[in-house]
């Protein structure tokens, strides 16, 4: 979909004329014409058809279901009661997506006749409050049910107090509203429309039970819509029966690029490529060494800000720990005018909301760019305006997320660029993406000097070592940064082993030492993945402590001397005091005289798991064996007078005591069975711990 063919006619061409105030809101949003997905979906939804919609990111899927929902509720003959729901939007589990859809519904409903707009609210919360305080509107405000904002009991109370006809939420909270606290209160018999947004993820096994319970609870006489940018044929068709769609209409908006071939004076236009990304999006890939990835990332940002005049970026990393770490490291290599924002799943919902709002509202120019560092929590559905460039520091574990990441730019006909950094064997990922109809164009690594550097050069980029020194010098100022670096490195390696395209992303082909350089590690962590790694050229960083015992010098890392880790301090005084206290306790324990040396078998028990089940099992096996020996001996010696113990091992001594113990254990076992004693008492009596 390009700028020239991204529209499919004016809204007036719809078979059903839109309500005037709905049309006014659409015009105020700047959507003078429909996109192809809207022109195809809205008439079907309005004609009581179930739909399965697949269209590239940024193509207008949200309005394709928001408008039919509103029109259906407006055209109802009877008004819904306060405990009845007319439409349900089940959103992918990320709460930011549900909040975004909720804000769109709020925008429309706040514009219905009879509502005052004199004060022009400055936020969606104020818009909602204005709507609730109006005298009373014909259609109540929508209800948002997501975790952390309210409790399930408050969700039920809010529904009853506002009389919301439209509910938007994540699967877990919707299930709680309909089948938990609100089971006997909330009425879904009048439900008109169900929408599953980002349906390919909602239909994953992780949500199967929740979605199935919700669908069984809803009335069969409803309209259902499945929307996604990556709803492949296999994904949709295999699940249609399960989700209860009835004779659905499938809407697939394809993007094709055309090549003009000249033959004499005639020109022939021939479609040569089908894409799952907007035609206005330029996708690039760059192959470099793992140790060079951070340098190449910074050079791409510099290239985009200077030559392309880009100002708003999103950079995707593999894990939350990587985002957290590079958020503190990247300022060392970017201009001081750059604004960085961090967004990942380990942040609290309120923090994520504030971060998104700050990034969206930030005033940025090519000289003062804004960069959002994120995981895939910001990959799907989020409508972040004016994003010029998407950079993928690490390819996503799930290949489906690739197009969703790229789709944060080049939205609604705008142009945009997306980059992905690959290393070594990962070049095969380009062919894999081509098969998934996502074409990528190669760009050579950006050189450090005027000399052209290509991926085939044997020499590592000369700026790698200086950059490592810069990172290490920063890390040495605070031991907490070293902890973050190690955690980020370990999380990256483990995420790498979970790639779905495992035949491309193979850990044995990854230069783990080069990755460690990129992270600026002071020392390699102890982990099984590094057992067979080639450590040539790697030296742990020396910690040279100054006389003040507070300033650390990281250069030049050329000699191997004992690391002064005992003096390597946390910048936070409380955390440092705790570390010193624990180190002192360990020193005291190490100075105590050693206890009696254990045998190898005893040491094996000491090193065993904390659970006592293993030792208890051994004791029970021994007692069982003795009991069996006694049974066999008594049987063989039944007719002999005055028999001695089994195997004549003792004369009324140790073995007789064992027999008495066995008899006593049987008596205690009977008491345990009757409930006269507890299991803990029985184990304490007969287990040698």
């Amino acid at each position: 979909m390009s700028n020239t063919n991204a529209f499919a006619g004016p809204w007036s061409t719809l078979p059903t004329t839109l309500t005037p105030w709905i049309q006014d809101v659409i015009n105020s949003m700047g959507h003078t014409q429909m996109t192809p997905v809207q022109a195809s979906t809205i008439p079907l939804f309005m004609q009581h058809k179930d739909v399965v919609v697949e269209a590239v990111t940024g193509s207008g899927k949200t309005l394709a279901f928001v408008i039919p929902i509103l029109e259906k509720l407006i055209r109802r003959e009877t008004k819904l009661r306060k405990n009845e729901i007319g439409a349900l939007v089940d959103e992918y589990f990320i709460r930011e997506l549900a909040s975004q859809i909720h804000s769109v519904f709020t925008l429309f409903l706040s514009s219905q006749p009879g509502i005052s707009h004199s004060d022009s609210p400055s936020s969606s919360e104020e818009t909602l409050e204005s709507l609730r305080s109006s005298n009373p509107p014909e259609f109540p405000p929508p209800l948002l049910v997501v975790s952390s904002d309210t409790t399930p009991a408050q969700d039920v109370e809010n529904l009853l107090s506002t009389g919301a006809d439209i509910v938007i939420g994540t699967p877990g909270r919707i299930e709680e509203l309909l089948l938990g606290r609100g089971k006997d209160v909330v009425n879904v018999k009048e439900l008109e429309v169900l929408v599953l947004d980002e349906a390919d993820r909602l239909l994953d096994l992780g949500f199967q039970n929740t979605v199935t319970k919700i669908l069984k609870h809803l009335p069969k006489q409803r309209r259902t819509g499945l929307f996604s940018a990556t709803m492949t044929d296999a994904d949709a068709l295999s699940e249609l029966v399960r989700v209860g769609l009835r004779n659905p209409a499938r809407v697939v908006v394809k993007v094709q690029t055309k090549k003009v071939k000249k033959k004499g004076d005639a020109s022939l236009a021939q479609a040569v490529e089908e894409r799952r990304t907007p035609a206005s999006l330029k996708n690039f890939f760059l192959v470099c060494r793992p140790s060079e990835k951070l340098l190449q990332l910074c050079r791409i940002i510099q290239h985009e800000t200077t030559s392309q005049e880009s100002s708003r970026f999103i950079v995707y990393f593999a894990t939350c720990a990587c985002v957290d770490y590079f958020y503190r490291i990247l300022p060392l290599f970017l201009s001081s005018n750059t604004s960085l924002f961090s967004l990942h799943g380990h942040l609290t919902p309120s923090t994520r909301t504030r971060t998104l709002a700050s990034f969206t509202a930030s005033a940025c120019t090519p000289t003062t760019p804004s960069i959002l560092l994120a995981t895939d929590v910001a990959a799907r559905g989020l409508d972040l305006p004016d994003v010029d460039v998407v950079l993928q520091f690490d390819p996503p574990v799930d290949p489906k997320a690739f197009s969703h990441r790229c789709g944060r730019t080049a939205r609604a006909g705008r142009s945009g660029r997306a980059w992905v950094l690959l290393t070594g064997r990962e070049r095969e990922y380009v062919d894999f993406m081509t098969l998934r109809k996502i074409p990528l164009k190669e760009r050579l690594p950006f050189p450090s000097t005027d000399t052209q550097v290509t991926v085939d050069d044997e020499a590592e980029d000369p700026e790698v070592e200086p950059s490592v020194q810069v990172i290490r010098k920063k890390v040495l100022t605070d031991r907490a940064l070293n902890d973050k670096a190690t955690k980020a490195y370990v999380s990256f390696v483990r995420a790498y082993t979970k790639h779905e395209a495992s035949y491309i992303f193979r850990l044995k082909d990854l230069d783990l030492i080069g990755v460690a350089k990129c992270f600026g590690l002071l020392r390699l962590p102890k982990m099984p993945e590094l057992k067979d790694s080639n450590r040539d050229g790697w030296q742990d960083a020396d910690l040279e402590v100054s006389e003040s015992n507070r300033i650390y010098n990281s250069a030049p890392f050329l000699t191997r001397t004992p690391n002064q880790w005992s003096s390597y301090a946390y910048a936070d005084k409380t955390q440092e005091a705790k570390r010193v206290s624990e180190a002192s306790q360990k020193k005291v324990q190490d100075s105590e005289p050693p206890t009696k040396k254990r045998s190898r078998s005893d040491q094996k028990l000491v090193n065993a798991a904390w659970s006592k089940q293993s030792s208890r099992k051994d004791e029970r096996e021994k007692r069982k064996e003795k009991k069996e020996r006694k049974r066999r001996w008594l049987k063989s010696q039944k007719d002999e007078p005055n028999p001695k113990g089994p195997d004549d091992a003792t004369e009324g001594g140790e073995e007789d005591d064992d027999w008495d113990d066995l008899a006593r254990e049987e008596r205690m076992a009977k008491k345990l069975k009757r409930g006269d004693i507890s299991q803990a008492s029985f184990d304490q009596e007969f287990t040698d711990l």
Side-chain angles (χ1 to χ4, degrees):
M1 184 169 59
S2 67
N3 293 335
T4 59
N5 62 356
F7 302 111
W11 296 92
S12 58
T13 59
L14 285 173
T16 304
T17 304
L18 297 180
T19 303
W21 60 269
I22 296 289
Q23 184 66 65
D24 291 341
V25 176
I26 296 173
N27 294 336
S28 68
M29 298 171 70
H31 302 308
T32 57
Q33 296 193 62
M34 295 181 290
T35 63
V37 67
Q38 293 163 357
S40 303
T41 304
I42 292 176
L44 293 172
F45 236 170
M46 294 294 292
Q47 294 169 8
H48 310 292
K49 291 280 187 180
D50 289 350
V51 294
V52 178
V53 180
E54 178 186 359
V56 297
T57 58
S59 58
K61 292 188 295 295
T62 300
L63 287 184
F65 64 77
V66 167
I67 293 173
I69 287 176
L70 293 171
E71 291 290 348
K72 279 182 173 293
L73 294 180
I74 290 172
R75 285 168 167 74
R76 280 185 58 90
E77 295 181 359
T78 58
K79 189 176 180 180
L80 292 168
R81 298 178 181 177
K82 283 199 170 185
N83 67 329
E84 294 179 337
I85 297 177
L88 184 64
V89 180
D90 199 343
E91 187 57 71
Y92 177 46
F93 74 96
I94 298 177
R95 65 186 300 278
E96 285 79 7
L97 303 186
S99 300
Q100 182 174 286
I101 302 300
H102 176 258
S103 65
V104 176
F105 277 109
T106 301
L107 176 62
F108 276 92
L109 291 173
S110 63
S111 302
Q112 58 184 300
I115 295 181
S116 173
H117 302 279
S118 57
D119 294 330
S120 299
S122 59
S123 68
S124 59
E125 289 78 7
E126 293 177 6
T127 302
L128 187 59
E129 186 62 31
S130 174
L131 178 57
R132 287 173 175 168
S133 61
S134 299
N135 185 23
E138 183 178 0
F139 303 102
L143 177 66
L144 177 66
V145 289
V146 293
S147 60
S148 78
D149 281 358
T150 56
T151 64
Q154 290 173 331
D155 290 339
V156 177
E157 182 180 347
N158 290 338
L159 177 67
L160 297 178
S161 62
T162 63
D165 297 337
I166 304 170
V167 175
I168 307 102
T170 50
R173 292 305 288 267
I174 289 179
E175 180 187 13
E176 185 66 32
L177 177 68
L178 302 183
L179 301 171
R181 294 296 183 94
K183 183 177 181 179
D184 299 326
V185 179
V186 180
N187 189 342
V188 295
K189 292 182 179 180
E190 296 295 322
L191 187 82
E192 295 263 1
V193 183
L194 168 67
V195 170
L196 302 182
D197 196 20
E198 300 297 341
D200 59 318
R201 294 307 304 271
L202 285 173
L203 295 178
D204 282 347
L205 292 178
F207 299 103
Q208 183 175 1
N209 292 336
T210 300
V211 174
T212 301
K213 290 179 182 177
I214 294 173
L215 293 171
K216 288 182 178 179
H217 184 68
L218 300 179
K220 294 182 179 180
Q221 297 295 330
R222 66 172 190 271
R223 298 281 63 81
T224 304
L226 277 62
F227 292 79
S228 179
T230 50
M231 179 70 73
T232 62
D233 293 344
D235 291 329
L237 297 179
S238 63
E239 299 294 343
L240 291 181
V241 174
R242 185 175 68 80
V243 302
L245 297 183
R246 299 164 52 187
N247 192 24
R250 183 166 175 78
V251 178
V252 180
V253 179
K254 296 183 178 180
V255 176
Q256 290 183 334
T257 57
K258 294 185 177 182
K259 182 178 180 180
V260 177
K261 294 183 177 181
K262 293 185 178 181
K263 185 177 181 181
D265 295 331
S267 296
L268 300 176
Q270 179 182 357
V272 295
E273 187 177 58
E274 181 182 325
R275 305 176 53 166
R276 291 188 181 274
T277 55
S280 58
L281 171 65
K282 295 181 180 179
N283 257 319
F284 302 109
F285 75 95
L286 185 151
V287 181
C288 63
R289 295 175 178 81
S291 59
E292 300 169 352
K293 286 181 71 174
L294 184 60
L295 289 176
Q296 291 298 326
L297 174 68
C298 297
R299 291 170 187 171
I300 292 173
I301 294 174
Q302 183 180 10
H303 165 76
E304 288 287 349
T305 54
T306 55
S307 63
Q308 302 295 330
E309 297 186 352
S310 303
S311 59
R312 202 179 297 275
F313 299 77
I314 300 180
V315 182
Y316 287 101
F317 292 89
T319 67
C320 301
C322 290
V323 172
D324 195 31
Y325 176 61
F326 283 106
Y327 175 72
R328 291 161 173 79
I329 296 302
L330 270 175
L332 301 174
F333 301 93
L334 301 174
S335 68
S336 58
N337 296 327
T338 303
S339 300
L340 287 180
F341 302 87
S342 173
L343 181 67
H344 56 79
H346 289 172
L347 298 174
T348 62
S350 58
T351 302
R352 284 157 48 184
T353 301
R354 288 196 303 269
T355 298
L356 277 176
S358 299
F359 174 69
T360 303
S362 62
C364 55
T365 65
T367 57
T368 59
S370 294
I371 303 176
L372 176 67
L373 310 184
T375 58
D376 283 339
V377 72
R380 281 179 174 260
L382 292 180
D383 187 15
L384 303 175
D386 304 331
V387 174
D388 300 306
V389 182
V390 168
L391 290 153
Q392 301 191 58
F393 191 81
D394 306 307
V397 172
D398 182 0
K400 287 183 181 179
F402 189 94
S403 60
H404 288 280
R405 285 180 172 186
C406 298
R408 296 317 98 206
T409 185
R411 299 180 67 81
R414 288 171 50 89
S415 62
R417 289 166 302 285
W419 297 72
V420 60
L421 297 176
L422 304 175
T423 63
R425 181 186 173 89
E426 295 173 11
R427 177 188 285 271
E428 298 178 13
Y429 192 66
V430 177
D431 297 331
F432 179 69
M433 285 290 104
T434 301
L435 292 175
R436 298 179 70 90
K437 301 176 183 178
I438 302 176
L440 299 171
K441 183 179 179 180
E442 183 173 11
R443 291 292 298 266
L444 293 177
F446 290 91
S448 58
T449 63
D450 294 336
T451 304
Q452 182 68 24
V453 178
T454 65
V455 74
D456 295 326
D457 289 342
E458 294 183 2
E460 188 178 59
D461 191 303
E463 291 188 13
V464 169
E465 287 302 326
S467 68
V468 173
Q469 305 298 338
V470 171
I471 298 175
R472 283 176 164 177
K473 189 172 183 179
K474 174 67 175 179
V475 171
L476 286 169
T477 62
D478 185 2
R479 189 165 185 147
L481 281 177
N482 178 70
D483 295 344
K484 290 182 181 295
T486 304
K487 183 178 180 181
Y489 179 80
V490 172
S491 68
F492 167 79
V493 173
R494 290 179 177 171
Y496 200 89
T497 62
K498 298 178 181 178
H499 269 280
E500 293 187 11
S502 56
Y503 65 94
I504 296 175
F505 298 92
R506 300 193 302 182
L507 190 63
K508 67 177 183 179
D509 296 327
L510 180 63
D511 178 11
L512 293 175
I513 302 302
V515 176
K517 286 184 178 181
C518 179
F519 282 66
L521 295 188
L522 298 180
R523 56 165 54 167
L524 293 174
K526 294 181 180 179
M527 53 192 303
E529 290 85 355
L530 286 170
K531 183 178 180 181
D532 299 325
S533 295
N534 181 8
R535 293 174 177 250
D536 292 344
W538 175 266
Q539 293 183 356
D540 288 346
D542 302 332
L543 296 178
E544 300 178 4
V545 187
S546 67
E547 294 181 358
S548 65
N549 200 32
R550 289 184 293 110
I551 303 175
Y552 298 87
N553 177 20
S554 62
F557 300 109
L558 297 179
T559 59
R560 287 180 180 270
T561 60
N563 292 324
Q564 303 296 323
W565 289 97
S566 60
S567 301
Y568 186 17
Y570 288 99
D572 182 83
K573 294 183 179 180
T574 303
Q575 197 173 8
E576 174 61 16
K578 181 180 178 181
R579 183 191 71 84
V580 172
S581 175
E582 292 176 350
S584 300
Q585 293 178 5
K586 186 176 185 303
K587 189 175 182 180
V588 171
Q589 294 175 356
D590 293 341
S591 63
E592 293 178 352
T595 57
K596 182 180 178 180
K597 188 174 181 180
R598 300 185 180 93
S599 64
R600 180 172 295 182
S601 59
D602 291 339
Q603 186 63 38
K604 183 182 293 187
L605 291 175
V606 171
N607 294 336
W610 294 338
S611 173
K612 301 177 182 179
Q613 297 302 318
S614 178
S615 60
R616 290 176 179 173
K617 184 178 180 180
D618 291 341
E619 292 296 327
R620 287 167 184 158
E621 290 296 330
K622 289 179 182 178
R623 292 196 297 270
K624 190 180 296 185
E625 182 182 355
K626 288 181 181 180
K627 191 173 182 179
E628 179 63 21
R629 285 172 54 199
K630 176 183 177 181
R631 186 189 65 78
R632 291 198 305 267
W633 182 82
L634 288 175
K635 183 177 181 180
S636 63
Q637 301 293 329
K638 187 175 182 180
D639 298 331
E640 294 185 10
N642 299 324
K644 294 183 180 181
D647 303 327
D648 293 335
T650 59
E651 295 182 359
E654 180 182 351
E655 203 65 51
D656 287 339
D657 292 340
D658 286 340
W659 295 353
D660 294 339
D661 289 341
L662 287 169
R664 185 162 60 91
E665 181 181 356
E666 289 181 358
R667 292 195 297 271
M668 294 290 285
K670 292 179 180 180
K671 291 183 179 181
L672 175 64
K673 188 174 181 180
R674 293 195 303 266
D676 296 340
I677 61 174
S678 65
Q679 181 68 49
S681 301
F682 181 84
D683 291 339
Q684 184 177 5
E685 181 73 19
F686 294 102
T687 303
D688 184 14
L689 300 178

